[in-house]
Every structure is written in structure tokens, then in C-alpha cells.
Amino acid sequence: MDRAVIIGTYESLGFRFCTSLLEEGYEVTGIHYRNMDEELVEEKRMEIGRNANFQEVLQMEWLPPAEIQEQTLIIIDFNYFYLRKPGCSLEISEHLEKFLVHNDKKIKDTQSKVICLLPIEDHVSTNERFNKIILNVKANDYHYLYLSRELDIQKESIKDLIEGGF
């Protein structure tokens, strides 16, 4: 598996996974949200550089019509939902739910792996749709990790998570 999609690519944990996977030679499609601080996004773009293996797509242009066609590592940084206003995250959670439901069979058929990065700070959200997505994640064969935004993830541990399994 050398292809990855990271939903929330400029978020704290998503960005760490993104840079690590690019260094490992993965082709990464980075999905980011429009309501982010542009100065922070620009800073992170500079860190990634002009990596030929990186494609950036705005979330509204990618979700939900995107389809999984080949084996893909799908990483979803759910910390976004805890840091943003409920109105913003509601729209994104609707699109994310449609994406996962629409691609459920294709994810299984291509033997893709879905990894959900969940915030350890709060296991229950006030966003009902988000809670529904999390229940769906746990009911499927998706992998999920509870991580702190402040966690210092080393490149070796990311590689171990992805290659070694859960």
C-alpha cells in the first residue's frame, strides 16, 4: 500500500502523518478544510515543499463524490470536530458520513485501511452526526486510535502503526 488519503491533512495529527508518509514515498492526497487559518496552512505547505507525491484538495471539492479505486490508506483526523464550531463540523461530518457509506464496499474490496484519529480529551461529542460516524467506524473493520493533540508522534511509530497493524 503506497497511496494515502489524509482527511484533515493540515490538522495537528493529520499533518504529522502526512509528512511521515511523504518521507516514506507514499502518494498522498491531502484533504483540508476551508475554515482553517490561512497563515498556518501556508506555513505547513512550505514545510511539505513541492513534493511531487503530494496533492492538496479542498474538502468541499473532494467529499463525498470521491471514490476509492485502489488499495488506499485513509486517515481521518477527527480532532477537527472538537476544535471547530458545531455548525462548521456538521457540514463536514455529513460529507464524511456519505463518503464512508458510499465507499464501504470499495474499501473492503480493495483491502484499503481506514484509520481514525480520535481525540482522547473527550470521548463524547455534542455533534450527533459525528457520534453516529464514530459508531459506524467502530462497527466496521476500521481502525481507530485515541490520541492527544499534544502527543509527540515519532516517524518510526507512524510507520509501525501503518505497516505493523493494530
Side-chain angles (χ1 to χ4, degrees), residues 7 10 12 21-22 27 29 32 42 55 60 62-63 67 71 84-85 87 93 98 105 109 122 131 134 149 159:
I7 301 170
Y10 292 126
S12 178
L21 292 172
L22 286 170
E27 290 180 24
T29 300
H32 79 94
E42 197 58 40
Q55 175 190 10
M60 293 303 292
W62 192 80
L63 291 171
E67 291 191 6
Q71 188 179 42
R84 304 292 187 245
K85 297 176 187 172
S93 60
K98 289 177 185 175
K105 183 172 177 2
D109 290 348
D122 185 12
N131 286 329
I134 297 303
R149 289 190 314 271
K159 186 176 178 183

Side-chain angles (χ1 to χ4, degrees), residues 4-5 7 68 72-76 99 107 112-116:
V5 171
I7 301 170
I68 302 302
T72 304
L73 173 63
I74 303 164
I75 298 175
I76 306 170
F99 166 75
I107 289 169
S112 293
K113 184 185 280 190
V114 178
I115 300 174
C116 300

Side-chain angles (χ1 to χ4, degrees), residues 8-128:
T9 197
Y10 292 126
E11 295 298 322
S12 178
L13 295 172
F15 187 71
R16 292 179 195 171
F17 274 78
C18 180
T19 55
S20 180
L21 292 172
L22 286 170
E23 288 179 11
E24 292 293 322
Y26 277 70
E27 290 180 24
V28 176
T29 300
I31 311 304
H32 79 94
Y33 307 112
R34 67 178 169 181
N35 296 333
M36 290 195 67
D37 176 7
E38 275 304 309
E39 190 174 309
L40 179 62
V41 169
E42 197 58 40
E43 193 176 297
K44 290 182 176 185
R45 280 186 186 125
M46 296 296 282
E47 189 173 328
I48 291 174
R50 298 183 186 265
N51 191 314
N53 286 343
F54 182 72
Q55 175 190 10
E56 178 183 328
V57 181
L58 189 60
Q59 166 263 330
M60 293 303 292
E61 297 169 4
W62 192 80
L63 291 171
E67 291 191 6
I68 302 302
Q69 301 294 333
E70 60 187 292
Q71 188 179 42
T72 304
L73 173 63
I74 303 164
I75 298 175
I76 306 170
D77 186 349
F78 278 106
N79 284 286
Y80 177 84
F81 294 94
Y82 289 96
L83 301 173
R84 304 292 187 245
K85 297 176 187 172
C88 295
S89 61
L90 178 62
E91 177 185 357
I92 293 166
S93 60
E94 288 174 2
H95 290 283
L96 190 53
E97 182 180 23
K98 289 177 185 175
F99 166 75
L100 290 171
V101 169
H102 176 74
N103 282 290
D104 186 53
K105 183 172 177 2
K106 292 178 183 180
I107 289 169
K108 291 174 183 160
D109 290 348
T110 60
Q111 296 180 339
S112 293
K113 184 185 280 190
V114 178
I115 300 174
C116 300
L117 308 175
L118 305 175
I120 200 166
E121 286 87 356
D122 185 12
H123 293 282
V124 180
S125 172
T126 56
N127 181 334
E128 289 180 33

